[in-house]
C-alpha cells in the first residue's frame, strides 16, 4: 500500500489494556469529515469550535452505537502535528477501544506508522529532529533527571546550542566565500585572526557539549550492573535486596541460578539495569555450563560488576581467573555473610582481599541486613554519573548526536589548523561544510530520508 504524508492517519495513543479511558488520535486534512461520520452529538464535528470538548455517541458505519465518548476538536496549525486533529476519549476496555478504532479506519483514516504523528510535527516545522527524539526519551525516562533532560531537549535547549554554533561556522564560511569571490589578494592577518578566534569559540563550545556525553548517556540509558561470583555466595539474595522483591530464587543448592535474570532499579536517582548470573564454577552439567558462559558474556557488557564472595571461603582459581579477565572493568567486591564470622576474621579477610586483588571490598550480611547501607553508599560513589544541569547546559544523551558533535568538533579544529598553516581558504571551507552538515544531522536540516525514517521507526504507534 502506498503511504503518503498527506493521508489522514489514526492510532490508539494509549495502552490497549482494560482501563478507565482510551485515547484515539486522528490527524490530517480529512480528520473532521472522518470523525463526523462516526460521531453523534448536539452538533456536527464540522460545526464545533476549535479546542473544545464535546460529548456524544460513537456510531459505527452501520449505525450501531458502540460507546459514549468525549471528542476533542483541534484546528491546525495549533496542534501537535500542525494538522487538523481529533482526539476521541472512549471507555478503556480492550474490545470497545478496538471497535472504535476499526470504525475510524473504515470511515477513511489510514492506520498510522510508528512515530508518524511526531514525524509530521517535524516535517511540518513544529519541532526539529532532536526535539522529536526527545519525545521518546521523555516517554522512556526512568528517573527524574532523565525526565528533566528530555524536557529540556523537547523545549529546544540542546537544539539552540547546536544552532548557535552552526550559525557562527556558517558566518565564517560565508566571509571566506565572499573573500574568494571578490578579492584577489590573500586574506590579511587581522581578518584571519578574527575568523580563527570565532572558530576557536565554536571549538570550545562543541568540546563543552561533547564532554556531557558520559553523563547524558547514563541518565538516558542507565548503567548495566552484573552480579557475579561462585555459587551460594548470595548473588540472588543481593538481586532481591536491590529490587526490594523476591525476583530471584534463593536456595542452598549450588547452581540454582542457571540463566541471566534481569530487572531494573532506581538507585540514588540512577537507572540501573541489574542482572543476576549463574554461579561460576567447574561443572559437568551441560545446561549449567551454558549459564556460566552467559555470566562471562554479561560481565563483558557490564558498566559495573558486583563480585560476590563468601567470607568463610578463600579466593580460588575461578575467582582469580574472573577478576583477572575483567581487571579493566569497574568491579566492586562484596564479602557476604558477616553474621557467620567474627569481626576479627572479617578484618583479616578484608586485608587479604585488598592485598590479593587490589580492590577495596565492602562487607555485609544479606541475611541480617548488616552493612547494607554501606553497600548503597559505595553504589552511590561508583555509579555517580556526574552533575547534570539540563536548564543551564546542552547535554548529549545519544550516540547519534555524540558522533555528529565529535565529527563537527574535529572538522572545526582542522579548519583552525588550516588557517594557522596558511592552507588555501577554499580548502578550509571544505572542513567548515563538513561541520555544518554534521550539526545539521542533529536538528534534521541535513538528515536524509533514510535517517529520518530509521529514527521514527523506533517510536511507539500513536506518538
Amino acid at each position: 500500500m502506498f503511504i503518503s504524508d498527506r493521508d489522514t492517519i489514526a492510532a490508539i495513543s494509549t495502552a490497549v489494556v482494560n482501563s478507565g479511558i482510551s485515547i484515539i488520535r486522528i490527524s490530517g486534512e480529512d480528520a473532521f469529515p472522518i470523525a463526523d461520520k462516526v460521531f453523534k452529538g448536539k452538533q456536527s464535528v464540522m460545526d464545533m469550535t476549535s479546542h473544545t470538548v464535546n460529548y456524544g455517541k460513537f456510531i459505527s458505519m452501520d449505525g450501531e452505537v458502540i460507546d459514549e465518548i468525549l471528542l476533542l476538536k483541534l484546528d491546525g496549525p495549533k496542534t501537535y502535528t500542525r494538522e487538523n486533529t481529533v482526539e476521541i476519549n472512549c471507555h478503556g476496555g480492550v474490545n470497545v477501544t478496538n471497535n472504535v478504532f476499526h470504525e475510524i479506519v473504515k470511515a477513511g483514516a489510514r492506520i498510522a506508522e510508528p512515530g508518524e504523528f511526531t514525524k509530521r510535527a517535524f516535517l511540518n516545522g513544529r519541532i526539529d529532529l532532536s526535539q522529536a527524539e526527545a519525545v521518546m526519551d521523555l516517554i522512556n525516562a526512568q528517573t527524574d533527571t532523565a525526565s528533566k533532560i528530555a524536557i529540556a531537549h523537547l523545549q529546544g535547549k540542546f537544539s539552540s546550542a547546536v544552532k548557535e554554533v552552526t550559525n557562527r561556522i556558517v558566518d565564517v564560511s560565508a566571509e571566506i566565500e565572499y573573500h574568494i569571490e571578490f578579492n584577489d589578494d590573500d586574506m590579511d592577518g587581522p581578518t584571519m585572526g578574527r575568523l580563527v578566534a570565532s572558530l576557536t569559540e565554536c571549538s570550545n563550545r562543541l568540546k563543552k557539549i561533547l564532554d556531557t556525553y558520559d553523563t547524558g548517556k547514563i541518565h538516558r540509558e542507565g548503567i548495566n550492573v552484573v552480579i557475579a561470583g561462585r555459587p551460594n555466595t548470595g548473588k540472588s539474595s543481593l538481586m532481591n535486596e536491590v529490587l526490594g522483591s523476591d525476583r530471584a530464587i534463593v536456595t542452598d543448592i549450588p547452581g540454582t541460578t542457571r540463566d541471566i535474570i534481569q530487572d531494573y532499579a532506581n538507585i540514588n536517582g540512577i537507572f540501573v539495569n541489574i542482572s543476576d548470573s549463574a554461579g561460576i564454577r567447574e561443572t559437568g552439567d551441560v545446561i549449567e555450563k551454558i549459564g556460566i558462559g552467559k555470566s562471562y558474556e554479561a560481565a563483558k557488557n557490564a558498566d559495573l560488576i558486583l563480585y560476590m564472595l563468601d567470607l568463610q571461603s578463600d579466593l580460588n582459581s575461578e575467582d582469580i581467573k574472573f577478576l583477572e579477565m575483567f581487571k579493566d572493568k569497574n568491579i566492586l567486591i562484596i564479602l557476604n555473610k558477616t553474621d557467620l564470622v567474627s569481626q576479627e576474621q572479617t578484618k583479616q579477610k578484608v586485608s587479604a582481599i585488598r592485598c590479593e586483588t587490589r580492590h577495596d571490598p565492602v562487607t555485609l550480611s544479606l541475611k541480617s541486613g548488616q552493612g547494607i547501607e554501606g553497600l548503597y553508599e559505595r553504589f552511590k560513589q561508583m555509579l555517580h554519573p556526574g552533575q547534570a544541569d539540563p536548564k543551564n547546559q546542552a547535554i548529549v544523551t545519544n550516540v547519534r548526536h555524540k558522533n555528529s558533535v565529535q565529527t563537527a568538533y574535529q572538522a572545526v579544529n582542522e579548519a583552525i589548523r588550516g588557517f594557522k598553516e596558511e592552507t588555501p581558504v577554499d580548502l578550509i571551507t571544505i572542513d567548515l561544510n563538513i561541520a555544518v552538515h554534521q550539526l545539521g544531522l542533529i536538528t534534521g536540516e541535513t538528515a536524509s530520508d533514510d535517517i529520518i525514517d530509521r529514527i521514527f521507526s523506533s517510536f511507539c504507534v500513536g506518538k
Side-chain angles (χ1 to χ4, degrees):
M1 181 181 71
F2 176 72
I3 294 177
S4 169
D5 291 332
R6 297 181 62 85
D7 293 342
T8 297
I9 56 173
I12 302 169
S13 293
T14 48
V16 185
V17 295
N18 288 331
S19 59
I21 296 172
S22 288
I23 298 175
I24 298 168
R25 180 183 288 169
I26 311 170
S27 179
E29 184 178 350
D30 294 327
F32 300 156
I34 288 172
D36 210 31
K37 293 178 184 178
V38 291
F39 179 78
K40 184 176 183 180
K42 289 185 176 180
Q43 56 182 332
S44 71
V45 176
M46 307 300 292
D47 295 332
M48 291 177 189
T49 303
S50 178
H51 291 72
T52 59
V53 178
N54 299 266
Y55 166 79
K57 291 181 173 60
F58 188 93
I59 310 296
S60 74
M61 295 300 290
D62 296 328
E64 180 184 356
V65 176
I66 291 180
D67 196 10
E68 294 180 350
I69 66 169
L70 293 176
L71 185 146
L72 172 62
K73 178 185 179 181
L74 302 164
D75 286 346
K78 295 182 178 180
T79 66
Y80 183 71
T81 60
R82 284 194 169 170
E83 300 173 334
N84 289 343
T85 300
V86 171
E87 289 191 357
I88 291 173
N89 290 250
C90 66
H91 289 95
V94 173
N95 187 61
V96 67
T97 299
N98 284 329
N99 286 342
V100 168
F101 179 62
H102 291 154
E103 291 300 324
I104 291 171
V105 174
K106 285 182 184 177
R110 170 173 63 78
I111 299 174
E113 297 290 303
E116 191 168 359
F117 291 96
T118 303
K119 183 178 181 180
R120 291 189 174 197
F122 163 67
L123 293 175
N124 292 330
R126 182 179 174 275
I127 55 177
D128 64 36
L129 196 55
S130 71
Q131 289 175 294
E133 290 171 290
V135 172
M136 281 308 297
D137 287 347
L138 183 59
I139 291 172
N140 294 328
Q142 298 291 328
T143 65
D144 289 343
T145 302
S147 294
K148 289 175 181 177
I149 293 173
I151 282 289
H153 278 218
L154 187 56
Q155 293 176 335
K157 178 70 179 178
F158 181 66
S159 301
S160 294
V162 169
K163 289 173 182 176
E164 284 175 10
V165 176
T166 304
N167 290 338
R168 291 189 71 143
I169 297 172
V170 169
D171 287 344
V172 171
S173 185
E175 189 159 348
I176 293 173
E177 295 287 355
Y178 181 87
H179 178 86
I180 294 171
E181 185 71 24
F182 297 104
N183 288 280
D184 295 328
D185 299 331
D186 292 337
M187 188 175 287
D188 60 71
T191 301
M192 287 180 60
R194 179 169 50 78
L195 296 183
V196 167
S198 185
L199 289 178
T200 300
E201 173 64 20
C202 291
S203 174
N204 292 338
R205 289 192 185 188
L206 290 173
K207 182 64 165 60
K208 188 176 180 181
I209 294 172
L210 200 57
D211 287 344
T212 67
Y213 175 64
D214 287 342
T215 295
K217 178 178 179 289
I218 288 172
H219 282 298
R220 179 176 183 261
E221 299 178 10
I223 293 177
N224 293 320
V225 176
V226 171
I227 305 171
R230 279 184 277 154
N232 282 15
T233 53
K235 298 185 301 299
S236 296
S237 296
L238 177 60
M239 176 83 163
N240 292 339
E241 165 63 33
V242 171
L243 296 176
S245 64
D246 292 335
R247 178 69 173 81
I249 298 172
V250 178
T251 75
D252 294 329
I253 303 170
T256 298
T257 302
R258 296 191 171 200
D259 204 351
I260 302 294
I261 299 174
Q262 294 179 310
D263 217 317
Y264 308 97
N266 185 329
I267 300 177
N268 294 307
I270 303 299
F271 181 52
V272 175
N273 310 301
I274 190 163
S275 302
D276 181 19
S277 61
I280 296 167
R281 65 169 179 170
E282 291 292 336
T283 179
D285 189 302
V286 175
I287 296 176
E288 191 176 353
K289 278 184 177 179
I290 294 172
I292 293 169
K294 288 185 176 182
S295 298
Y296 278 96
E297 192 63 33
K300 288 179 184 178
N301 299 318
D303 299 307
L304 172 63
I305 298 171
L306 304 179
Y307 197 79
M308 300 289 294
L309 292 171
D310 187 333
L311 270 167
Q312 301 172 103
S313 303
D314 295 327
L315 286 175
N316 69 7
S317 59
E318 291 294 332
D319 298 321
I320 294 170
K321 174 187 173 184
F322 185 96
L323 293 172
E324 177 62 26
M325 181 179 291
F326 299 106
K327 62 184 178 181
D328 295 329
K329 285 282 187 180
N330 205 8
I331 297 177
L332 174 59
I333 293 178
I334 301 171
L335 301 178
N336 188 25
K337 304 185 183 180
T338 55
D339 56 307
L340 299 179
V341 299
S342 67
Q343 288 186 358
E344 184 60 33
Q345 287 175 306
T346 299
K347 288 180 181 179
Q348 291 176 359
K349 183 56 66 74
V350 168
S351 179
I353 292 297
R354 284 174 178 160
C355 182
E356 293 180 69
T357 69
R358 305 299 180 188
H359 289 282
D360 185 22
V362 296
T363 61
L364 53 74
S365 168
L366 288 165
K367 185 175 182 180
S368 69
Q370 179 187 9
I372 296 295
E373 289 303 317
L375 171 65
Y376 285 124
E377 186 59 35
R378 286 290 293 276
F379 258 31
K380 185 177 180 180
Q381 295 171 7
M382 299 186 77
L383 298 181
H384 198 281
Q387 189 66 32
D389 184 13
K391 287 185 179 180
N392 298 306
Q393 66 180 154
I395 300 174
V396 183
T397 59
N398 73 50
V399 70
R400 188 182 81 82
H401 296 170
K402 180 244 186 183
N403 288 342
S404 287
V405 172
Q406 189 168 45
T407 303
Y409 172 69
Q410 292 168 346
V412 169
N413 286 338
E414 279 298 307
I416 294 171
R417 188 165 68 88
F419 271 118
K420 293 179 178 179
E421 295 179 355
E422 298 184 355
T423 300
V425 289
D426 55 337
L427 297 181
I428 292 174
T429 60
I430 295 174
D431 290 316
L432 298 182
N433 289 337
I434 290 172
V436 170
H437 176 77
Q438 288 296 321
L439 296 177
L441 291 177
I442 294 173
T443 57
E445 294 171 46
T446 60
S448 66
D449 289 343
D450 287 342
I451 291 175
I452 293 169
D453 290 342
R454 186 165 67 248
I455 289 171
F456 287 106
S457 68
S458 65
F459 277 49
C460 55
V461 175
K463 194 54 186 171

